[in-house]
Amino acid sequence: MKICIRTISFIISAFTVCSLFSCGKLNDPLSEQEIEDILCDRYDKEFTLVSDNTNEKNVGTMIFKDDEGIETNVEISTSNAHFSTAYEYSAKEDYVSAYYKAHPELFEPFKAQGHDFRAENGEYIMYYNGFDEIAGTVAFACKTANEMDQIAETVAKKKLYCYSETIKFVPSDISSDELYYPSISIPSYKPLPCMESSKYSEDDVQAKIREVQTNYVEILRKTNDKDRLAGLPEEQIMLDPLDYVYDITLDDKVIFDEMHYLSSYPYREGKSDGYSYSSCIHHAETGEVTEEELLNSFDALGWKIDISGKDLSFTNGTDVLNFHIHHTNETIYEGEGGGYKYDAEVTFNGEQYELDGYWGVSSNESNYNRVSDPDHKKEQYTNDQYDFGFTFTEKDFRDIFGVEFEFDQINGTGKIVKCGS
């Protein structure tokens, strides 16, 4: 019998692909008995199978009930590994949700002391009325949750995952399905072996209070509720500052078109939060400055910008902020788009200075000069023209330029309230 060469090639290819990417299943689905054993161990109760709606591939739903008649759905599904035809079974159960729905009396303590707790559309919600009620409401909810009976043993068995329940914190007069609301998990089980406690510590409570307070200001911004925003003190509004403010003026003349809020977390550890101004100068041997508005802005503040050679300087009388820019011995990489890395020595009045903001140098690829190596095996690019960018924060403006700002967090504008030392 003749075997087609193409058929042999296909079989070999298929075998190779399956070898590389692991065709088939990676694990076996949980059996009825295994699921029952895990449920009994997890909740310290007896469970029996009510119905099995899984298909021939063991995908689908099994329903179990406990000795009270409370039913839990066990969903069995498969998923493929990344870049692989292999699949693996997973299973999840929702007994915690079913148990809480069967015992609404467990949530009565959340209604104590006049708190507005409700179970709505399958969700548990703690309402608060305005910013001033947040701290007390969150602290009460965490304390009450800590006192709830734990209905499960440790859930460390990953073969059968379990859904948990949450209590959301929602302002009573601005609720919407399109908005996000923070929540706490109800401590329905004992902590995992790697956890010290499932209780909310005082640090946890304070962090959650701040999260809900920040969320409230975010909600006012998203709903454009300027009246409520205007009624908050500055420190509360600044929990969620505007990303941008525009038309920053000095004596009613616009000096900066926009400033961006720069957070110190996480990539600027030890730096200051606040608004910042960023710009870019095409700095080359010709001393070209492409941003005319930049020159005008700092000129209005009493500072001259000068480029000569490899230096960029901001000068006001005897005060000089200077960036000395130079090549390093390192290359970015070889080939097209490669080139030397740059560094800058920053000084203020002759002393080394560390910006609260930052600076950076990027290559202007259109101005690369191509230099072939002697063996003509590769090409290296050098760059005599490049873009120098910088960002000054509020702290930089205050410490270097003697400039202080005032920002309107309601209308998104700003003004310079001090200029010069």
Side-chain angles (χ1 to χ4, degrees), residues 103-165:
H103 292 282
E105 72 279 1
L106 294 175
F107 294 92
E108 287 301 312
F110 288 95
K111 301 177 183 179
Q113 302 176 22
H115 288 283
D116 188 3
F117 174 87
R118 308 177 206 173
E120 298 178 334
N121 302 318
E123 294 185 309
Y124 301 105
I125 301 173
M126 182 68 82
Y127 287 98
Y128 61 88
N129 184 22
F131 191 97
D132 292 341
E133 281 193 7
I134 292 174
T137 301
V138 173
F140 171 79
C142 290
K143 177 180 179 294
T144 306
N146 282 346
E147 294 170 353
M148 291 183 74
D149 290 336
Q150 293 173 328
I151 64 174
E153 299 295 328
T154 179
V155 293
K157 297 183 179 67
K158 292 185 178 180
K159 287 185 177 180
L160 180 58
Y161 296 90
C162 66
Y163 291 101
S164 62
E165 279 295 346

Side-chain angles (χ1 to χ4, degrees), residues 263-277:
S263 173
S264 60
Y265 178 84
Y267 62 95
R268 298 180 63 249
E269 187 174 354
K271 303 293 186 178
S272 302
D273 289 352
Y275 285 95
S276 63
Y277 173 74

Side-chain angles (χ1 to χ4, degrees), residues 99-100 145-153 187-191 197-199:
Y99 183 84
Y100 282 144
N146 282 346
E147 294 170 353
M148 291 183 74
D149 290 336
Q150 293 173 328
I151 64 174
E153 299 295 328
S188 58
Y189 50 82
K190 293 180 181 178
S197 174
S198 62
K199 305 292 185 181

Side-chain angles (χ1 to χ4, degrees), residues 173-394:
D173 52 352
I174 325 176
S175 59
S176 168
D177 293 338
E178 297 179 358
L179 297 173
Y180 162 78
Y181 304 103
S183 63
I184 57 171
S185 295
I186 303 173
S188 58
Y189 50 82
K190 293 180 181 178
L192 300 176
C194 60
M195 298 169 58
E196 293 182 3
S197 174
S198 62
K199 305 292 185 181
Y200 291 100
S201 67
E202 184 57 33
D203 287 344
D204 295 333
V205 174
Q206 293 305 315
K208 186 59 63 175
I209 288 173
R210 186 174 180 84
E211 180 185 355
V212 178
Q213 290 174 335
T214 301
N215 177 253
Y216 179 69
V217 181
E218 290 174 347
I219 289 171
L220 296 182
R221 290 208 185 281
K222 288 179 180 178
T223 56
N224 197 30
D225 195 333
K226 292 185 177 181
D227 290 338
R228 282 193 178 88
L229 277 172
L232 299 179
E234 185 73 10
E235 64 269 17
Q236 294 177 3
I237 295 179
M238 289 305 291
L239 287 170
D240 183 47
L242 290 169
D243 287 335
Y244 288 90
V245 289
Y246 300 93
D247 297 337
I248 296 86
T249 61
L250 174 63
D251 298 330
D252 297 326
K253 178 183 177 182
V254 175
I255 303 301
F256 300 117
D257 288 340
E258 70 175 36
M259 293 181 72
H260 176 238
Y261 195 82
L262 192 63
S263 173
S264 60
Y265 178 84
Y267 62 95
R268 298 180 63 249
E269 187 174 354
K271 303 293 186 178
S272 302
D273 289 352
Y275 285 95
S276 63
Y277 173 74
S278 299
S279 189
C280 186
I281 293 177
H282 178 65
H283 180 279
E285 297 299 339
T286 60
E288 179 186 358
V289 179
T290 56
E291 296 289 344
E292 193 67 28
E293 292 181 3
L294 174 66
L295 297 177
N296 295 334
S297 295
F298 279 87
D299 185 66
L301 300 178
W303 291 76
K304 301 296 183 183
I305 297 178
D306 177 63
I307 295 178
S308 58
K310 295 293 184 184
D311 284 3
L312 164 66
S313 297
F314 295 78
T315 304
N316 184 353
T318 58
D319 290 329
V320 180
L321 174 69
N322 189 72
F323 298 87
H324 177 63
I325 308 162
H326 57 88
H327 288 300
T328 68
N329 292 326
E330 298 180 80
T331 56
I332 300 172
Y333 52 85
E334 294 176 350
E336 187 172 356
Y340 289 111
K341 287 185 177 180
Y342 292 90
D343 201 354
E345 296 171 1
V346 185
T347 58
F348 182 50
N349 293 338
E351 300 290 333
Q352 187 173 355
Y353 190 83
E354 181 179 350
L355 286 178
D356 187 58
Y358 50 85
W359 58 268
V361 180
S362 59
S363 299
N364 186 341
E365 295 185 13
S366 63
N367 291 309
Y368 274 122
N369 295 317
R370 180 174 298 184
V371 179
S372 298
D373 71 351
D375 297 328
H376 302 285
K377 294 178 181 178
K378 57 186 178 182
E379 293 177 328
Q380 183 178 349
Y381 287 74
T382 62
N383 191 16
D384 294 326
Q385 296 182 330
Y386 48 85
D387 294 327
F388 180 84
F390 59 84
T391 294
F392 295 140
T393 66
E394 288 184 63

Side-chain angles (χ1 to χ4, degrees), residues 74-92:
V74 179
E75 301 171 2
I76 302 172
S77 59
T78 60
S79 60
N80 289 93
H82 193 50
F83 291 122
S84 173
T85 58
Y87 62 93
E88 123 181 90
Y89 285 97
S90 62
K92 295 181 179 179

Side-chain angles (χ1 to χ4, degrees), residues 32-41 47-49 64:
E32 172 192 335
Q33 189 60 52
E34 286 176 313
I35 294 172
E36 185 178 318
D37 289 344
I38 292 174
L39 290 173
C40 291
D41 182 54
F47 285 83
T48 55
L49 181 67
F64 291 79

